[in-house]
Amino acid sequence: MLEAILRSQCALDPRRPVLVGVSGGPDSLCLLGGLHAAGYPVIVAHFNHKLRPEADEDAGFVADHARSLGLPCVTESADVAAYAAGQGLSIEEAARILRYRFLFAAARKNAAQAVAVGHTADDQVETVLMHFLRGAGLDGLKGMEYRSLLPAFDPEIPLVRPLLSLWREDTEGYCREHGLSPRLDASNADPAYFRNRLRLELIPILTRYNPQFKSALLRSAAALQGDHDLLRESVEAACRETCRESGEGWIAFDADRLAGLSPAMRRNLIRTAGETLRPESSDFGFEALLRVADFAGQPAPGKQVDFACGLYLFAEPGRVVLAAYEADLRSAAWPQVDSAVEIGAAALDLGDGWTLAIERLDLDAPRLELPGDTWSAWLDADALNGPLTVRAPRPGDRFQPLGMPDGSLKLSDFFINVKLPKRARAHWPLVCSGDRIVWVPGYRPAHAARGTEATRRVLKMSLKKL
Amino acid sequence: MLEAILRSQCALDPRRPVLVGVSGGPDSLCLLGGLHAAGYPVIVAHFNHKLRPEADEDAGFVADHARSLGLPCVTESADVAAYAAGQGLSIEEAARILRYRFLFAAARKNAAQAVAVGHTADDQVETVLMHFLRGAGLDGLKGMEYRSLLPAFDPEIPLVRPLLSLWREDTEGYCREHGLSPRLDASNADPAYFRNRLRLELIPILTRYNPQFKSALLRSAAALQGDHDLLRESVEAACRETCRESGEGWIAFDADRLAGLSPAMRRNLIRTAGETLRPESSDFGFEALLRVADFAGQPAPGKQVDFACGLYLFAEPGRVVLAAYEADLRSAAWPQVDSAVEIGAAALDLGDGWTLAIERLDLDAPRLELPGDTWSAWLDADALNGPLTVRAPRPGDRFQPLGMPDGSLKLSDFFINVKLPKRARAHWPLVCSGDRIVWVPGYRPAHAARGTEATRRVLKMSLKKL
């Protein structure tokens, strides 16, 4: 049965090496024995938590056992208590992080196809119960999976748990049958650990309410895993249809499509996007999800809402963007400039594939309406004076757009009127003649540079993205 | 807050009547008071379970209270214990069925927009915990909803539970504030009822593991309801793309599309279809779902698999059908006949919109290949002898299809060869001349009735569905 699980549920290839985390307890000895017997090339890995007096003996036992099987063995130790104190983590959480870091680093170094750990059906029941008590959603209640990725530790090497349908007493039986004397972890009986209290006290109580409680919980977890997979499929399909663009630390959605999804789908989609931006965080909290899903249901351009884990959501015309507070939100879809550059005869490279081209044309006859579109403009060359430059906006900039014969606007108000997304404004390219803005690419030429009856010489400018 | 819940979560219209189930306890008195104060036209309904000595006093109390509010009151009683014994149900389950039957019947009679009941957040916690202990899936763990349909009781009138976010002590506080003296149900303290043991013993224990256990569970339920809704959306979309046809007691799926879905989606889809066929059943069991989803993943035409609740799944060429064992599987998409009918000059009505038309043609020149397609055939009229009839297959029928010059086949083997679905065979129409089958519509004319050089007179037959 284990062989079938290794192949199908864990999707392991019997010819490629597997790195097995071995504590020396019955579960990991059983897992190691099973993988070895099934013919997998195995690398034994032991992490010495240095938390108990017997820790070094455990490490020696594992190394000896690996040697007796003729298997390579890698070990590492770390000061878990110090790390926990430094990071403000519980001892269990700190131990978990350091242990997985070591296991995945060793797996990568040894070109292992997966990290295998000895979690059993009992661990699954404890895990699901723990999530149940703290009010988890589907993500937590589904429990552990035979094969999963932990992007916080490695983006590709999966964690596999081949023993998830085996009870702890089965692994103990395996050790007895194979003459193995597993190490006993005395801390497993310490009621100071929450998980131990569940195992020793609470699960026996719950079993009084349903004698089949443990297998019932396993069945629940299996059903919820199926539902979770299905949900993930749907959410990923919705993502593909809703995401429009992304950059380092941000993901932009089509505002209408996002608002058109059901609230539950919006919550799931934003959670999935949040996990992409913050792979080390797995729990944003349900309240936070409700808040951002509400916001995305009726987004008001210019507004933003805090999410969780240093992420926030903001709306701009046509887009809703999930972003990290520290992210650079510039989009390569827009032309953006940093400093002022003089426009010469040659085409000007503005970066991100954007180029400004210039052409000088002579007109045979007057044309009252000069042509132009979003990304190109014809200007009256004789109306321009002073050197032509491209630069970013400056405080106090004013602009007199075509069609506004008298006075001028604050450039910031013009940007608001034309609904230029806020994050694009600071670096939006402005074509200037001397200190006057003569063209705001993407929007409007200046009124003073328009074509008149007298226009004979034209400057044709176009901005193009390759 | 209650008013907002009545409007948004329960989707009630304040101008239309609501039927409120009132036991006389604090929850239902609070619900009644809240609806009445919010201006809803209310009909009070009390079901007398006749299980406790005080039952008649409770009924009198509710009637008096309704009168004091100037509200109409309907009551009914039934012998719950006898019904439980007769149906082999627990007292609780029998009481629930009879109570809801009464409430929905009364709601319909009084043109109420909904049946409202006083389930509180405490009931929700108990319900979710009960499902958790028995190993439920998402369906159970999501708990009760503010508004839901119970198709077993009424296909249209919803059940609403406006108090789901109010704790029981809040409803008691409401009664104190409003000078109401709710009836006390002594059976609420009886540990013989499983639910009471949860409330009195287990929930206090679980609260030692998480002081916020009850609100954590409420939060879980809310999150799971969202996921459940999302899942339902996806499943319904998959249903629309996969269902091909349905009849009384059966639903046919496109076999390839069904097999192309993920196993979790197949399970959900078949469960949904099962609920449509058996609205009174809500739990088919996870094992059964795994079994049918497996079958549908690699359907073998001619095979079938048992599902649950008197339903089974069978495969036929191109289709997988979920059906009740007692269902009549005839499809209106096929021509089907019961008895023999003589073919005269006029078109023959075969029922379900199917008509057999006949035309006699004279050929000017010999045509070796007579035309014909699935639903029409040209036969050599001079090769036919004996009266023309349409009839269903009979035991022992043999057929000599066009292209088989010597001998003949058992008609049943011919049906297998052409992959005619099994359920269509017993009533498939056969066109006969005397005792010889001359055309199997949908498949092949008889060899003996083919066109030859000598053919001059043709019988053109066509079967059409309006």
Side-chain angles (χ1 to χ4, degrees):
Chain A
M1 190 184 105
L2 181 64
E3 282 198 51
I5 288 176
L6 292 170
R7 292 268 203 149
S8 61
Q9 330 278 42
C10 300
L12 294 180
D13 176 347
R15 292 160 304 183
R16 296 177 53 210
V18 176
L19 183 123
V20 189
V22 180
S23 67
D27 302 342
S28 56
L29 288 189
C30 170
L31 171 62
L32 172 57
L35 273 163
H36 185 53
Y40 286 77
V42 168
I43 300 135
V44 176
H46 177 80
F47 185 72
N48 186 340
H49 296 84
K50 295 257 183 205
L51 289 171
R52 294 177 300 117
E54 319 83 67
D56 291 338
E57 280 175 46
D58 292 352
F61 169 83
V62 171
D64 288 347
H65 184 61
R67 202 172 305 120
S68 77
L69 293 170
L71 297 175
C73 178
V74 289
T75 58
E76 190 172 283
S77 69
D79 191 340
V80 173
Y83 182 75
Q87 301 285 315
L89 296 169
S90 71
I91 290 283
E92 292 143 296
E93 188 54 18
R96 194 186 90 93
I97 291 176
L98 293 175
R99 186 170 64 242
Y100 278 130
R101 265 195 208 155
F102 158 64
L103 291 174
F104 281 98
R108 192 156 271 276
K109 204 192 261 173
N110 289 276
Q113 62 177 314
V115 170
V117 291
H119 291 131
T120 61
D122 287 278
D123 293 308
Q124 179 74 304
V125 168
E126 290 157 27
T127 299
V128 174
L129 179 55
M130 198 134 62
H131 285 296
F132 177 72
L133 287 172
R134 70 169 180 80
L138 196 50
D139 238 14
L141 292 174
K142 77 178 203 317
M144 300 178 284
E145 293 174 272
Y146 280 110
R147 181 188 173 100
S148 51
L149 273 184
L150 306 183
F153 297 103
D154 197 289
E156 290 145 340
I157 300 175
L159 182 73
V160 299
R161 299 175 172 104
L163 304 189
L164 271 188
S165 50
L166 227 61
W167 297 102
R168 196 166 285 139
E169 59 177 39
D170 298 326
T171 69
E172 289 163 354
Y174 174 93
C175 289
R176 274 195 305 277
E177 278 166 32
H178 289 77
L180 301 172
S181 307
R183 302 288 295 171
L184 292 180
D185 182 346
S187 73
N188 281 340
D190 184 350
Y193 291 110
F194 190 69
R195 191 180 270 271
N196 293 343
R197 287 176 60 206
L198 298 190
R199 184 171 61 250
L200 301 170
E201 304 163 5
L202 186 54
I203 293 175
I205 292 175
L206 293 169
T207 305
R208 294 207 302 260
Y209 290 83
N210 174 7
Q212 307 301 321
F213 171 70
K214 293 206 297 180
S215 23
L217 213 54
L218 274 199
R219 199 172 56 227
S220 264
L224 295 182
Q225 275 178 23
D227 290 339
H228 185 259
D229 292 347
L230 187 48
L231 218 51
R232 190 159 46 196
E233 284 172 24
S234 316
V235 173
E236 280 169 2
C239 262
R240 283 191 296 276
E241 288 176 10
T242 316
C243 286
R244 280 292 165 272
E245 202 194 347
S246 64
E248 191 74 36
W250 59 271
I251 299 176
F253 303 94
D254 183 283
D256 288 339
R257 281 186 180 252
L258 187 60
L261 300 174
S262 70
M265 180 57 102
R266 279 202 301 273
R267 280 202 299 276
N268 275 282
L269 195 144
I270 294 171
R271 178 170 59 198
T272 304
E275 285 164 359
T276 309
L277 297 181
R278 291 277 191 252
E280 71 287 1
S281 309
S282 61
D283 194 0
F284 301 106
F286 191 61
E287 300 299 323
L289 282 166
L290 281 179
R291 186 170 57 237
V292 289
D294 260 11
F295 178 88
Q298 294 186 304
K303 302 274 186 211
Q304 67 177 63
V305 63
D306 194 42
F307 180 28
C309 304
L311 301 176
Y312 71 114
L313 209 68
F314 65 87
E316 60 186 31
R319 295 274 185 276
V320 166
V321 183
L322 178 67
Y325 277 110
E326 76 279 6
D328 176 357
L329 299 171
R330 286 204 224 179
S331 162
W334 297 320
Q336 299 271 278
V337 295
D338 284 309
S339 49
V341 186
E342 203 152 325
I343 302 174
L348 199 60
D349 180 3
L350 301 183
D352 274 335
W354 286 93
T355 314
L356 180 71
I358 269 206
E359 242 177 295
R360 288 167 200 279
L361 307 169
D362 290 323
L363 296 185
D364 303 334
R367 291 175 67 167
L368 273 186
E369 289 267 333
L370 295 183
D373 58 24
T374 307
W375 296 115
S376 74
W378 292 41
L379 306 177
D380 184 338
D382 295 315
L384 308 176
N385 35 36
L388 281 175
T389 53
V390 182
R391 65 164 173 85
R394 290 175 190 155
D397 266 343
R398 300 189 69 87
F399 178 52
Q400 185 190 13
L402 179 66
M404 184 187 190
D406 301 309
S408 64
L409 273 173
K410 277 196 217 165
L411 180 67
S412 52
D413 288 338
F414 176 75
F415 279 161
I416 290 171
N417 292 348
V418 297
K419 297 185 175 159
L420 178 64
K422 208 169 168 184
R423 61 186 167 124
R425 294 177 199 167
H427 297 277
W428 197 258
L430 305 171
V431 175
C432 301
S433 162
D435 54 4
R436 207 169 53 189
I437 300 169
V438 294
W439 182 35
V440 180
Y443 296 99
R444 209 81 65 82
H447 191 76
R450 76 194 184 284
T452 66
E453 276 187 39
T455 303
R456 285 297 176 276
R457 296 194 312 129
V458 161
L459 214 60
K460 183 187 168 193
M461 283 186 284
S462 17
L463 203 56
K464 272 184 197 142
K465 167 120 176 141
L466 292 183
Chain B
M1 190 183 100
L2 181 65
E3 280 197 52
I5 289 176
L6 293 169
R7 292 267 202 149
S8 63
Q9 330 278 42
C10 302
L12 294 181
D13 175 347
R15 293 159 306 183
R16 296 177 52 210
V18 175
L19 184 124
V20 189
V22 180
S23 68
D27 302 343
S28 56
L29 287 191
C30 170
L31 172 63
L32 173 58
L35 274 163
H36 185 54
Y40 285 78
V42 168
I43 301 136
V44 176
H46 177 80
F47 185 71
N48 186 340
H49 296 84
K50 296 257 181 205
L51 289 171
R52 295 178 299 117
E54 319 82 68
D56 291 336
E57 279 175 48
D58 291 353
F61 169 84
V62 171
D64 287 347
H65 184 61
R67 203 172 304 121
S68 76
L69 295 171
L71 297 174
C73 178
V74 289
T75 59
E76 190 172 282
S77 69
D79 191 340
V80 174
Y83 182 74
Q87 301 284 316
L89 295 170
S90 71
I91 291 282
E92 289 144 298
E93 188 55 18
R96 195 187 88 92
I97 292 176
L98 294 176
R99 186 169 63 242
Y100 279 131
R101 264 195 209 155
F102 157 64
L103 292 174
F104 281 98
R108 192 156 272 276
K109 204 191 260 173
N110 289 277
Q113 62 178 314
V115 170
V117 291
H119 291 132
T120 61
D122 287 278
D123 293 309
Q124 179 75 304
V125 168
E126 290 157 25
T127 299
V128 174
L129 179 56
M130 196 134 63
H131 285 297
F132 177 73
L133 288 172
R134 70 169 180 79
L138 196 51
D139 238 16
L141 292 175
K142 78 178 202 318
M144 301 179 282
E145 294 174 272
Y146 281 111
R147 180 187 174 101
S148 52
L149 273 184
L150 305 182
F153 297 104
D154 198 290
E156 291 146 338
I157 298 175
L159 183 72
V160 299
R161 299 173 171 107
L163 305 189
L164 271 188
S165 49
L166 227 61
W167 298 101
R168 197 165 285 140
E169 59 179 39
D170 298 327
T171 69
E172 288 162 356
Y174 174 94
C175 289
R176 272 196 306 279
E177 279 165 31
H178 289 76
L180 301 172
S181 308
R183 302 289 295 172
L184 293 179
D185 182 347
S187 73
N188 281 341
D190 184 350
Y193 291 110
F194 190 70
R195 190 180 272 271
N196 292 343
R197 286 176 59 207
L198 298 189
R199 185 172 60 248
L200 301 170
E201 302 162 7
L202 186 54
I203 291 175
I205 291 174
L206 293 169
T207 304
R208 295 208 302 260
Y209 290 83
N210 174 6
Q212 308 301 321
F213 171 70
K214 292 205 298 179
S215 24
L217 213 55
L218 274 199
R219 198 172 55 226
S220 264
L224 295 180
Q225 276 179 21
D227 291 339
H228 184 260
D229 291 347
L230 186 47
L231 218 53
R232 188 160 48 196
E233 283 172 25
S234 316
V235 172
E236 281 169 3
C239 260
R240 283 190 296 274
E241 287 176 10
T242 316
C243 286
R244 282 291 164 271
E245 202 194 347
S246 64
E248 190 74 36
W250 59 272
I251 299 177
F253 303 93
D254 182 282
D256 289 339
R257 282 187 179 252
L258 188 60
L261 299 174
S262 70
M265 181 57 102
R266 280 202 299 274
R267 281 202 299 277
N268 275 283
L269 195 143
I270 295 171
R271 179 172 56 197
T272 304
E275 285 166 358
T276 309
L277 297 180
R278 292 277 190 250
E280 71 286 3
S281 310
S282 61
D283 194 1
F284 301 106
F286 191 61
E287 300 298 323
L289 282 166
L290 280 179
R291 185 170 59 238
V292 290
D294 261 10
F295 178 88
Q298 293 186 304
K303 304 274 185 209
Q304 67 177 64
V305 63
D306 194 41
F307 179 29
C309 305
L311 300 177
Y312 71 115
L313 209 67
F314 65 87
E316 59 187 31
R319 293 273 184 280
V320 166
V321 183
L322 177 67
Y325 278 110
E326 77 279 6
D328 175 357
L329 299 171
R330 286 204 226 179
S331 161
W334 297 320
Q336 299 272 277
V337 297
D338 284 308
S339 49
V341 186
E342 202 149 328
I343 301 176
L348 200 59
D349 180 3
L350 300 182
D352 273 335
W354 287 94
T355 314
L356 181 71
I358 268 205
E359 242 177 296
R360 289 166 200 280
L361 308 168
D362 290 323
L363 295 185
D364 304 333
R367 291 174 66 166
L368 273 186
E369 289 266 332
L370 294 183
D373 58 24
T374 309
W375 296 115
S376 73
W378 292 43
L379 306 177
D380 184 338
D382 295 314
L384 307 176
N385 35 36
L388 281 175
T389 53
V390 183
R391 64 165 174 84
R394 291 175 188 152
D397 266 343
R398 299 189 72 86
F399 178 51
Q400 186 190 13
L402 178 66
M404 182 186 192
D406 301 308
S408 64
L409 274 172
K410 277 195 217 166
L411 180 67
S412 54
D413 289 338
F414 175 76
F415 279 160
I416 290 170
N417 293 349
V418 298
K419 299 187 172 157
L420 179 64
K422 209 169 168 184
R423 62 186 166 122
R425 293 178 199 165
H427 298 278
W428 197 258
L430 305 170
V431 174
C432 301
S433 163
D435 54 6
R436 207 169 54 189
I437 299 169
V438 294
W439 182 37
V440 180
Y443 297 98
R444 210 79 67 81
H447 192 77
R450 75 192 185 285
T452 67
E453 278 189 37
T455 302
R456 285 299 176 275
R457 296 195 313 130
V458 162
L459 215 59
K460 182 188 168 192
M461 282 186 286
S462 19
L463 203 56
K464 275 186 195 140
K465 167 118 176 141
L466 293 184

